Every structure is written in structure tokens, then in C-alpha cells.
């Protein structure tokens, strides 16, 4: 795999304008269609502003509008630097580390952190093949019983292709009416798909949904016997939990989904031929929901 180092970053993005220019080109790959002139026209950057102006009528366009950079006073280069940092470490980086690296306030670091994670939330195509489905509890202090009584813990459902991609989702509970629709939404129901779960009764109806279903008997300690295991999913859980413990210390239930998205983003891109930062750069012009 090719690498993309901080040296590469400094060369590609030496200034705020270089970042803005990148964003401009990513957003308008075929040029800007001027509403007033009713055609694609050349636009020139206006000095000291994050806008470009039509060569004929002077109408403005702002490449940052609607993106994660919308109305931010933080220099664009700091944003790009944050993306570089967040994409370049395996376990991720905390908002606190961003604060130090970028030399911004914690509040700003936290906002950047959250916005960049939005870019990391991506739509993964429905999973297929051998798909492990499992749930785990994250957060809280007590070891609660499964299904109920896990006080202060948040339930997370995972669906993971062996050797492929993963989807994780915070769910309200582990009841069948919660878990089964998630499977139907995210896993292809074609001939070769086999779903692996443990013996949680909520999964009893998986076969009735039209999937092949293999059950791992955790209680009988059979989880490594043959192909019936959910080890891939369990490995993902431990990476996620290690990341939360080691890097972020704790995560509120409210923010857990976006943490999951950034971990799973890295997981799903682990075999990419090109550096993750470049994949993330492909997303910069995406219009996101502003918060
Ligand atoms: Zn114009």
C-alpha cells in the first residue's frame, strides 16, 4: 500500500487557499454553472474570502457552503490537517489530541472532530456471503445481564462479512423486533448468504426471513468449531472497545454512533490500495447536515 505522509500533506496543502482550491475542484469538477449567465463560466477566487466569482456577472459561489466546513472560522488547512490525523492513525485520535496538534481550543477541536466523523459515516452496500451478526454492550460501569439490566450500557449491533465490510449500529435493545429488521435492511438475501449468530433467542426467526442461519453455541464452548463462529465480529468489538478505552476514555451514548462510524470506516478501508486520507479527501465536497 502506498503511504501518504505529513510531508506529502504539507506539499499538497501548503496553505488555506490550496485547501479551498482542492475543495472547489472537488465540488465543481465540470466547472461552475452560473445561474445568472445560464452557463458554465470561469470563476476566480476573491482575495481573503472563501468565495469565487463569475468572470462575467460577478455572482458568487462558496465551495464550503453546506459542507462540514460551512461557516467555520477555523482555517481550512487546520480542518484538512485534522482529517489527515484522523485518517492516519489506526486506532484513531481523540478530540483532546486534535486540540494539541492543531493548537485550537477544545471546543473547536471537538466540533472539527464531530464534523470529520460525519464524512466517515458512509453507506456500505448490503453485506453478503458469510455474515456474522452479534451484539455487544458499550459504556457504563456495571456488568449487566444480557438483554436487560445492563445499566448505563448502550447496545450496539454489528453485522460483519468475514474478510469484508462491517456495519455497526446503536440499537435500543436486543429484541427480535429490533434486530431482525436491521438484518433485513443490511444483509442481502441471496443464495450464498449465510448468517452466523449466537444462541440469543431473538435470532430464532432469521431463517424464516429467508437466510441460511448457523447458530454458535457459546454456552457449549463451541465457538471455534468449524465455520460456525462469530469471531470476526468479536474481534471488531474488542478493537472498538480498546479504542474507546485507550484513546477516548469514554463515550457518551449520544456520541457513540459517530465513534462507531469512524472506527468502522477505518475497518472497512483497511485493505484499500491507497491511503485512507485520500479516500476521505474524496468526501470533502459532500453536503452534510449542519450541526
Ligand atoms: Zn455569471
Amino acid at each position: 500500500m502506498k503511504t501518504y505522509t505529513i510531508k506529502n500533506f504539507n506539499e499538497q496543502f501548503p496553505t488555506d487557499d490550496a485547501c479551498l482550491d482542492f475543495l472547489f475542484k472537488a465540488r465543481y469538477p465540470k466547472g461552475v454553472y452560473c445561474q445568472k449567465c445560464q452557463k458554465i463560466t470561469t470563476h476566480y477566487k476573491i482575495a481573503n474570502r472563501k468565495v469565487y466569482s463569475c468572470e462575467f456577472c460577478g455572482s458568487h459561489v462558496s465551495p464550503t457552503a453546506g459542507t462540514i466546513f460551512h461557516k467555520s472560522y477555523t482555517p481550512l488547512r487546520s480542518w484538512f490537517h485534522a482529517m489527515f490525523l484522523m485518517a492516519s492513525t489506526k486506532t484513531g485520535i481523540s478530540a483532546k489530541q486534535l486540540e494539541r496538534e492543531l493548537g485550537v481550543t477544545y471546543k473547536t477541536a471537538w466540533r472539527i472532530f464531530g464534523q470529520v466523523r460525519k464524512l466517515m459515516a458512509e453507506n456500505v452496500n448490503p453485506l453478503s456471503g458469510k455474515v456474522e451478526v452479534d451484539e455487544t454492550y458499550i459504556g457504563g460501569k456495571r456488568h449487566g445481564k444480557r438483554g436487560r439490566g445492563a445499566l448505563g450500557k448502550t447496545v450496539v449491533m454489528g453485522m460483519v462479512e468475514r474478510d469484508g465490510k462491517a456495519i455497526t449500529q446503536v440499537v435500543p435493545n436486543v429484541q427480535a423486533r429490533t434486530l431482525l429488521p436491521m438484518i433485513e435492511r443490511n444483509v442481502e438475501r441471496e443464495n450464498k448468504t449465510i448468517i452466523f449468530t449466537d444462541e440469543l433467542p431473538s435470532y430464532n426467526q432469521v431463517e424464516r426471513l429467508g437466510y441460511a442461519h448457523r447458530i454458535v453455541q457459546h454456552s457449549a464452548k463451541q465457538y471455534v468449531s468449524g465455520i460456525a463462529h462469530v469471531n470476526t465480529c468479536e474481534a471488531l468489538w474488542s478493537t472498538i472497545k480498546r479504542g474507546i478505552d485507550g484513546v477516548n476514555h469514554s463515550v457518551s451514548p449520544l456520541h457513540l454512533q459517530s465513534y462507531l462510524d469512524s472506527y468502522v470506516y477505518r475497518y472497512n478501508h483497511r485493505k484499500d490500495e491507497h491511503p485512507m486520507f485520500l479516500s476521505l479527501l474524496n468526501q470533502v465536497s459532500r453536503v452534510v447536515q449542519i450541526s
Side-chain angles (χ1 to χ4, degrees):
M1 179 169 138
K2 289 188 207 116
T3 55
Y4 187 98
T5 64
I6 185 70
K7 187 166 174 282
N8 300 131
F9 176 78
N10 288 331
E11 279 164 11
Q12 188 177 1
F13 300 108
T15 60
D16 290 333
D17 278 356
C19 300
L20 188 67
D21 188 55
F22 182 91
L23 181 61
F24 181 77
K25 285 177 181 142
R27 187 139 190 198
Y28 311 104
K30 292 174 185 160
V32 183
Y33 181 85
C34 177
Q35 296 295 342
K36 211 164 173 183
C37 299
Q38 302 260 301
K39 60 178 178 182
I40 291 177
T41 62
T42 304
H43 282 64
Y44 294 105
K45 172 150 185 329
I46 297 182
N48 301 319
R49 292 186 60 190
K50 282 184 259 182
V51 294
Y52 289 72
S53 145
C54 170
E55 65 170 326
F56 298 119
C57 71
S59 294
H60 289 176
V61 291
S62 164
T64 56
T67 68
I68 62 166
F69 318 107
H70 191 73
K71 289 187 177 164
S72 167
Y73 292 109
T74 307
L76 257 191
R77 192 167 187 277
S78 298
W79 279 96
F80 276 56
H81 191 194
M83 288 167 47
F84 173 78
L85 294 169
M86 289 175 72
S88 301
T89 53
K90 190 154 184 276
T91 48
I93 182 170
S94 69
K96 197 77 196 156
Q97 284 168 285
L98 270 191
E99 175 191 1
R100 275 196 302 271
E101 295 279 345
L102 304 180
V104 296
T105 63
Y106 184 73
K107 197 178 161 214
T108 299
W110 177 250
R111 194 178 123 71
I112 292 175
F113 194 56
Q115 295 291 87
V116 172
R117 281 197 319 238
K118 280 186 190 166
L119 292 189
M120 292 177 155
E122 56 179 355
N123 292 322
V124 172
N125 291 329
L127 306 179
S128 62
K130 295 188 174 74
V131 180
E132 299 176 16
V133 178
D134 194 24
E135 346 74 50
T136 194
Y137 293 90
I138 293 183
K141 290 203 170 83
R142 284 192 225 179
H143 292 278
K145 265 194 221 128
R146 192 175 191 188
R148 37 162 109 202
L151 278 176
K153 290 181 182 289
T154 306
V155 192
V156 177
M157 182 188 186
M159 288 152 281
V160 185
E161 288 172 338
R162 287 191 189 155
D163 238 17
K165 299 210 169 197
I167 293 171
T168 54
Q169 178 68 46
V170 171
V171 289
N173 53 56
V174 296
Q175 293 168 11
R177 63 189 163 108
T178 302
L179 302 183
L180 297 183
M182 284 289 297
I183 292 176
E184 288 191 283
R185 262 201 301 280
N186 293 293
V187 185
E188 245 175 62
R189 200 193 273 94
E190 45 92 28
N191 297 333
K192 284 179 185 161
T193 297
I194 307 175
I195 292 187
F196 299 88
T197 69
D198 61 17
E199 69 275 71
L200 184 75
S202 302
Y203 295 121
N204 286 351
Q205 304 298 318
V206 164
E207 212 161 68
R208 200 166 290 176
L209 296 178
Y211 300 98
H213 184 204
R214 303 276 179 281
I215 298 169
V216 187
Q217 308 286 344
H218 270 179
S219 47
K221 299 229 184 287
Q222 284 183 344
Y223 33 103
V224 281
S225 72
I227 63 163
H229 63 79
V230 288
N231 295 349
T232 318
C233 209
E234 284 174 356
L236 180 67
W237 295 144
S238 61
T239 310
I240 288 172
K241 288 176 181 175
R242 246 197 337 268
I244 291 175
D245 289 347
V247 181
N248 304 297
H249 309 300
S250 71
V251 178
S252 71
L254 195 66
H255 294 119
L256 185 56
Q257 187 61 50
S258 58
Y259 273 93
L260 293 172
D261 289 341
S262 66
Y263 282 112
V264 167
Y265 181 88
R266 280 188 291 271
Y267 181 85
N268 288 346
H269 287 272
R270 71 197 182 283
K271 290 179 181 168
D272 282 4
E273 281 300 308
H274 57 285
M276 220 174 280
F277 175 60
L278 300 182
S279 311
L280 201 52
L281 277 182
N282 284 333
Q283 307 282 324
V284 283
S285 63
R286 218 166 82 193
V287 171
V288 297
Q289 215 178 349
I290 306 298
S291 64

